[in-house]
């Protein structure tokens, strides 16, 4: 009987192995079959379709369709685009150091911001300059889309360090415009991951990090040590709008504040190469200094590793709004003909054991859309001290600060280049600014801006009018319009487009964006960061917490259970 059972058991195991093997063989057959079908369809189209097909474009479209079934971070880079991927990961490229974009008013490309200390800025190129030609070749759009045109000009401006060319621009002046030429020598450009750091209050240091590119941890460490030398006894780390980058750079930054040998990130994927553990490798700089980390909805990826790890280890108070929720890791894979595939290979888990990925791209809706994981389906994890934290949906701040939403009118003022053009106009009348601290946009300045807006016959899309129109259509369809006609008329009157009113009502946020644009013209990214801090509710909350050691410790401590005081009283009674 036992022998019969053993034989039956062995048969079941072998059958199971056989079924697994069968499934794998079937999958391999399906892959081979469909690749053969794809190849055959293209050959038939290329040979028999009535018009000549664009082979590269057709196959590229097929690749894009295939990748659309994965996640937005899995991307194919053909040979001519690999340099942009390299720039994204290293922060380096050969060029002149200037941000550019399409400028609709002139149907040309405009310089948005030269980088401080780089060839464009040193040659005298300014924000607002309209690019006419690069190296004698005129830069005109033709039938290109604006994005394609921008890419073309960007490619022309870049090149091998040490090569020179003549840049011809049209510079708008107060009463006229003038054509100017600059001889510029390209050099290795590296975007600065630490745009600003300094003391913000008494002995509180502030350090902004904009990206996690190659060697960003070294730049961060250098800035931190300088702040300590200036007397910083606590630190605010600003990771707002930081979209992430290198995982290893993030671990190095966490290492500045936690002991050597601490596991920060664990990655888990389908293949062995995608699985790993990242621990701190060096002796920390300071394990005691109080930390506050500022985050928002654009804080993602490596930024979430830093903020989430410091939260899980009870090493920093996280302040702001919930982060983006990107818990995925990408790996670079080489392809034939010098192409590259950036592919998501694993998920990462921070010290508490949680993965903060907000969207499950494997569960797409029929229309291809995806939704964030609802809070009700997230799981509770615990920090080192026992505080509750959750997975899925990004990092939830210890102190949530609700930021003001950008009004609709600001978006359209920026989109129509009105804020950009006013900043150019402002620079005509103010050749220099003494300092960022002394700058203030006056009421007279804002009146001049309003005058410019009105002179351009500015209009913008009002969401309230759109919604009211939709509501009227629904009410009419459902038969309520006759009874509600008077109410709709009253509402239409109240929601009537009034530009003067809106410019006054939204003056505060509009002034903030104008001020940042103006200050950037004189003091670059450093100045823009300083200007943003002048009225910053997240920063103010961080300062309050760091100035209150008792509250700081309470936030980072495990919550006291309700029955703990009772137990203590019973113990004292026994004594």
């Amino acid at each position: 009987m036992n022998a019969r059972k053993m034989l039956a058991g062995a048969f079941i195991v072998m059958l199971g192995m056989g079924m697994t093997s069968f499934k794998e063989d079937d999958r391999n057959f399906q892959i081979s079959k469909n690749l053969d079908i794809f190849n055959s369809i293209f050959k038939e189209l290329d040979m028999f379709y009535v018009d000549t097909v664009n082979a590269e474009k057709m196959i590229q479209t097929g690749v894009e369709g295939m990748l659309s079934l994965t996640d937005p971070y899995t991307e194919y880079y053909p040979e001519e685009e690999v340099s942009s991927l390299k720039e994204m990961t290293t922060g380096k490229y050969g060029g002149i150091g200037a941000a550019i974009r399409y400028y609709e008013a002139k149907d040309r490309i405009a310089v948005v911001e030269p980088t401080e200390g780089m060839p464009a800025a040193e040659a005298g190129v300014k924000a607002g300059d309209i690019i006419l030609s690069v190296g004698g070749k005129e830069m005109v759009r033709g039938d290109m889309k604006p994005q394609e045109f921008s890419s073309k000009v960007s490619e022309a401006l870049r090149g091998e360090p040490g090569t020179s060319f003549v840049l011809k621009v049209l510079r708008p002046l107060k009463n006229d415009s003038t054509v100017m030429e600059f001889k510029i020598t390209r050099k290795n450009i590296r975007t600065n991951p630490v745009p600003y750091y300094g003391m913000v209050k008494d002995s509180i240091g502030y350090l902004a990090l904009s990206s996690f590119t190659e060697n960003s941890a070294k730049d961060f460490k250098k800035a931190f040590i300088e702040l300590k030398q200036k007397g910083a006894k606590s630190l605010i780390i600003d990771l707002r709008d930081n979209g992430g980058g290198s995982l290893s750079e993030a671990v190095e930054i966490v290492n500045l504040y936690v002991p050597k040998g601490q596991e920060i990130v664990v990655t888990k994927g389908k293949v062995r190469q995608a699985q790993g553990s990242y621990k701190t490798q060096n002796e920390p700089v300071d394990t005691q200094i109080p930390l506050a980390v500022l985050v928002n909805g654009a804080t993602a990826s490596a930024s979430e590793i830093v903020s989430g790890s410091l939260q899980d280890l009870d090493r920093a108070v996280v302040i702001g709004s919930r982060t983006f929720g990107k818990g995925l890791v990408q790996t670079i894979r080489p392809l034939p003909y010098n192409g590259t595939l950036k592919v998501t290979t694993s998920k990462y888990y921070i010290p508490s054991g949680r993965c903060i990925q907000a969207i499950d791209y494997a569960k797409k809706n029929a229309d291809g859309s995806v939704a964030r994981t609802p809070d009700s389906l997230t799981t509770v994890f615990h920090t080192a001290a026992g505080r509750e934290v959750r997975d899925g949906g990004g990092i939830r701040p210890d102190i949530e600060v609700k930021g003001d939403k950008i009004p609709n009118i600001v978006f359209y003022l920026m989109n129509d280049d009105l804020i950009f053009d006013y900043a150019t106009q402002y620079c005509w009348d103010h050749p220099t600014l003494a300092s960022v601290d002394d700058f203030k946009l006056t009421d007279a300045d804002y009146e001049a801006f309003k005058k410019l807006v009105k002179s351009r016959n500015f209009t913008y899309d009002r969401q309230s009018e759109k919604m009211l129109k939709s509501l009227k259509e629904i009410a009419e369809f459902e038969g309520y319009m006759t009874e509600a006609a008077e109410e709709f008329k009253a509402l239409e009157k109240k929601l009537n487009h009034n530009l003067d009113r809106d410019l006054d009502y939204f003056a505060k946020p509009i002034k903030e964006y104008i001020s940042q644009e103006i200050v950037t013209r004189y003091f670059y990214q450093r100045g823009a960061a300083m200007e943003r801090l002048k009225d910053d509710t997240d920063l103010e909350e961080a300062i309050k917490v760091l100035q209150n050691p008792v509250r700081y410790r309470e936030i980072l401590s495990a919550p006291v259970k309700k029955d703990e005081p009772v137990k203590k009283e019973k113990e004292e009674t026994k004594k």
Side-chain angles (χ1 to χ4, degrees):
M1 187 71 177
N2 289 339
R4 192 176 296 174
K5 283 184 178 179
M6 288 174 63
L7 190 63
F11 176 74
I12 291 169
V13 171
M14 289 174 68
L15 181 63
M17 291 173 63
M19 288 177 68
T20 302
S21 179
F22 175 77
K23 286 180 181 178
E24 189 64 29
D25 288 343
D26 184 58
R27 185 173 184 275
N28 290 336
F29 170 72
Q30 291 299 328
I31 292 172
S32 179
K33 168 188 166 183
N34 284 286
L35 285 174
D36 197 23
I37 291 171
F38 181 87
N39 187 44
S40 297
I41 288 173
F42 174 75
K43 284 182 177 178
E44 295 296 318
L45 287 172
D46 189 45
M47 186 176 293
F48 295 110
Y49 185 66
V50 64
D51 295 320
T52 302
V53 299
N54 184 324
E56 187 175 356
K57 187 174 182 181
M58 182 172 282
I59 293 174
Q60 177 71 29
T61 303
V63 170
E64 289 170 358
M66 181 165 50
L67 296 182
S68 69
L69 298 176
T70 60
D71 60 49
Y73 315 112
T74 297
E75 299 176 285
Y76 166 60
Y77 291 82
E79 182 179 9
E80 61 272 18
E81 294 178 17
V82 168
S83 58
S84 64
L85 175 62
K86 186 178 179 182
E87 178 193 334
M88 184 172 62
T89 55
T90 65
K92 299 176 184 175
Y93 64 96
I96 68 171
I100 61 171
R101 67 174 166 81
Y102 178 66
Y103 184 69
E104 189 175 6
K106 297 287 185 182
D107 197 27
R108 294 272 191 170
I109 298 298
V111 176
V112 177
E113 183 190 340
T115 304
E116 187 173 13
M118 293 295 112
E122 290 179 342
V125 177
K126 295 185 179 297
D129 287 348
I130 310 299
I131 296 175
L132 300 178
S133 68
V134 177
K137 187 175 181 180
E138 191 173 1
M139 294 291 114
V140 290
R141 184 161 79 97
D143 58 356
M144 287 182 285
K145 293 178 180 179
Q147 186 58 46
E148 294 173 333
F149 185 30
S150 296
S151 298
K152 177 189 174 182
V153 176
S154 177
E155 194 64 31
L157 293 171
R158 298 185 182 199
E160 286 297 315
T163 57
S164 299
F165 69 97
V166 174
L167 177 67
K168 184 187 286 187
V169 304
L170 180 71
R171 176 163 293 175
L173 298 176
K174 189 166 187 178
N175 299 314
D176 201 359
S177 296
T178 185
V179 175
M180 304 182 74
E181 293 186 352
F182 304 94
K183 185 176 181 181
I184 302 177
T185 301
R186 299 180 180 93
K187 65 185 288 189
N188 279 318
I189 308 298
R190 179 176 181 264
T191 53
N192 184 7
V194 182
Y196 174 71
Y197 61 96
M199 305 297 288
V200 289
K201 188 82 171 181
D202 301 328
S203 58
I204 300 175
Y206 168 90
L207 203 168
L209 185 71
S210 61
S211 63
F212 288 82
T213 49
E214 192 176 278
N215 293 320
S216 58
K218 290 181 180 178
D219 294 321
F220 186 99
K221 180 179 179 180
K222 181 183 175 184
F224 173 53
I225 290 173
E226 283 189 32
L227 288 173
K228 282 173 67 72
Q229 291 170 346
K230 290 179 180 179
K233 302 298 182 187
S234 56
L235 178 70
I236 299 169
I237 302 172
D238 194 344
L239 295 179
R240 291 174 298 181
D241 301 318
N242 184 327
S246 169
L247 185 154
S248 58
E249 296 290 330
V251 174
E252 281 192 47
I253 289 174
V254 175
N255 194 174
L256 299 175
Y257 307 107
V258 303
K260 181 180 178 180
Q262 171 68 54
E263 188 172 68
I264 302 300
V265 175
V266 171
T267 59
K268 297 178 182 179
K270 186 163 60 176
V271 296
R272 183 179 297 175
Q273 298 97 307
Q275 301 182 32
S277 171
Y278 294 78
K279 297 181 179 181
T280 51
Q281 300 293 319
N282 308 306
E283 292 300 328
V285 174
D286 194 331
T287 60
Q288 299 301 317
I289 187 169
L291 302 173
V293 181
L294 306 184
V295 298
N296 64 8
T299 300
S301 188
S303 294
E304 292 175 296
I305 289 175
V306 171
S307 55
S309 296
L310 293 175
Q311 185 182 59
D312 282 359
L313 298 171
D314 305 296
R315 187 62 192 85
V317 174
V318 179
I319 298 169
S321 52
R322 190 188 296 196
T323 63
F324 182 80
K326 181 176 181 287
L328 305 174
V329 180
Q330 285 72 47
T331 303
I332 305 302
R333 302 289 301 171
L335 295 174
Y337 301 99
N338 300 315
T340 298
L341 181 68
K342 179 166 69 73
V343 55
T344 299
T345 53
S346 58
K347 293 180 179 180
Y348 70 78
Y349 300 79
I350 49 181
S352 65
R354 57 179 169 150
C355 176
I356 50 86
Q357 176 63 23
I359 297 173
D360 185 353
Y361 290 100
K363 297 178 180 177
K364 291 191 175 185
N365 299 320
D367 61 357
S369 63
V370 287
R372 291 175 69 92
T373 302
D375 289 347
S376 59
L377 297 181
T378 58
T379 306
V380 172
F381 289 77
H382 294 89
T383 69
R387 297 185 297 142
E388 285 191 2
V389 288
R390 288 184 171 271
D391 65 355
I395 305 298
R396 295 164 176 79
D398 300 308
I399 300 175
E400 188 169 359
V401 180
K402 291 187 178 180
D404 297 329
K405 291 185 178 179
I406 301 175
N408 204 30
I409 189 173
V410 173
F411 171 80
Y412 286 97
L413 287 169
M414 294 176 70
N415 192 59
D416 289 2
D417 292 313
L418 285 163
I419 290 177
F420 182 80
D421 288 347
Y422 177 73
T424 302
Q425 180 178 299
Y426 185 93
C427 292
W428 297 334
D429 301 322
H430 305 82
T432 60
L433 281 186
S435 69
V436 178
D437 291 336
D438 293 335
F439 171 74
K440 183 173 174 30
L441 195 74
T442 65
D443 290 339
D445 293 332
Y446 191 61
E447 286 301 318
F449 171 73
K450 288 163 66 175
K451 185 177 179 181
L452 173 66
V453 172
K454 293 174 187 175
S455 72
R456 298 278 186 88
N457 296 317
F458 170 72
T459 58
Y460 65 100
D461 194 3
R462 290 165 54 92
Q463 293 299 314
S464 55
E465 288 179 355
K466 270 189 172 183
M467 295 297 289
L468 180 61
K469 184 179 178 182
S470 296
L471 183 60
K472 283 178 67 177
E473 289 173 355
I474 293 170
E476 194 164 350
F477 176 77
E478 294 184 346
Y480 297 119
M481 197 60 200
T482 304
E483 295 179 5
E486 291 302 317
E487 286 82 354
F488 271 111
K489 283 182 182 178
L491 196 53
E492 279 179 336
K493 190 174 180 180
K494 289 183 178 180
L495 296 179
N496 187 38
H497 190 93
N498 187 326
L499 183 60
D500 283 314
R501 171 204 166 274
D502 290 346
L503 287 172
D504 289 337
Y505 186 81
F506 296 110
K508 185 177 181 292
I510 294 172
K511 283 182 178 180
E512 287 174 357
Y513 278 87
I514 294 173
S515 298
Q516 287 178 32
E517 183 67 40
I518 288 173
V519 169
T520 305
R521 302 292 180 98
Y522 299 93
F523 302 102
Y524 305 98
Q525 281 300 307
R526 173 173 49 89
M530 293 171 69
E531 181 64 28
R532 284 193 293 271
L533 296 180
K534 287 183 178 179
D535 185 16
D536 190 328
T537 51
D538 290 355
L539 180 74
E540 290 170 6
E541 190 62 46
I543 290 171
K544 285 180 188 175
V545 170
L546 293 175
Q547 287 181 327
N548 188 337
V550 174
R551 187 184 177 208
Y552 178 84
R553 287 192 296 271
E554 284 178 351
I555 292 171
L556 297 179
S557 300
V560 178
K561 294 179 181 178
K562 292 181 180 179
D563 60 340
E564 281 184 358
V566 177
K567 286 181 180 178
K568 189 175 180 182
E569 287 176 10
K570 287 182 179 179
E571 287 173 4
E572 289 176 353
T573 304
K574 288 179 183 178
K575 292 178 183 178

